[in-house]
Amino acid sequence: MKNYSKLAWFAVALTLFVVVLGAYVRLSDAGLGCPDWPGCYGHSAWPNEAAEISKANQAFPERAVEVDKAWKEMVHRYFASFLGLIVLGLFIW
């Protein structure tokens, strides 16, 4: 039971972090930095090489790649997904 409590408090702290990180993403105008989900322009991480960016721009012509926005969005998605897994684990436990 003690481990459950520790994990629950960790989830609370992570929730606060995800909320603050989400506010940062939104205030930096990076909320739609990646048009698809769960990836980013068809990749598991944001495209950062010229060939990847060119390919992503061809695949998503309506949303040009902006690397500075994409990495912020993906970091937020990773933390939020991790939080979701922890909540699911707490529910199953």
Side-chain angles (χ1 to χ4, degrees):
M1 193 60 145
K2 186 171 177 94
N3 289 337
Y4 184 87
S5 178
K6 285 182 182 181
L7 186 59
W9 279 111
F10 177 73
V12 168
L14 186 58
T15 300
L16 292 174
F17 177 74
V18 167
V19 168
V20 170
L21 186 60
Y24 169 71
V25 169
R26 182 69 184 114
L27 291 173
S28 65
D29 198 32
L32 295 175
C34 295
D36 56 337
W37 190 89
C40 186
Y41 293 98
H43 298 274
S44 59
W46 55 93
N48 57 1
E49 294 182 12
E52 292 175 342
I53 292 172
S54 175
K55 187 176 178 181
N57 283 331
Q58 290 174 356
F60 297 90
E62 70 282 353
R63 296 285 303 176
V65 175
E66 296 180 60
V67 177
D68 60 323
K69 291 182 179 183
W71 75 264
K72 293 173 188 176
E73 177 67 20
M74 286 305 294
V75 167
H76 178 258
R77 287 181 186 183
Y78 291 147
F79 276 104
S81 297
F82 183 59
L83 175 61
L85 290 174
I86 290 173
V87 170
L88 180 64
L90 286 169
F91 176 74
I92 291 171
W93 193 341

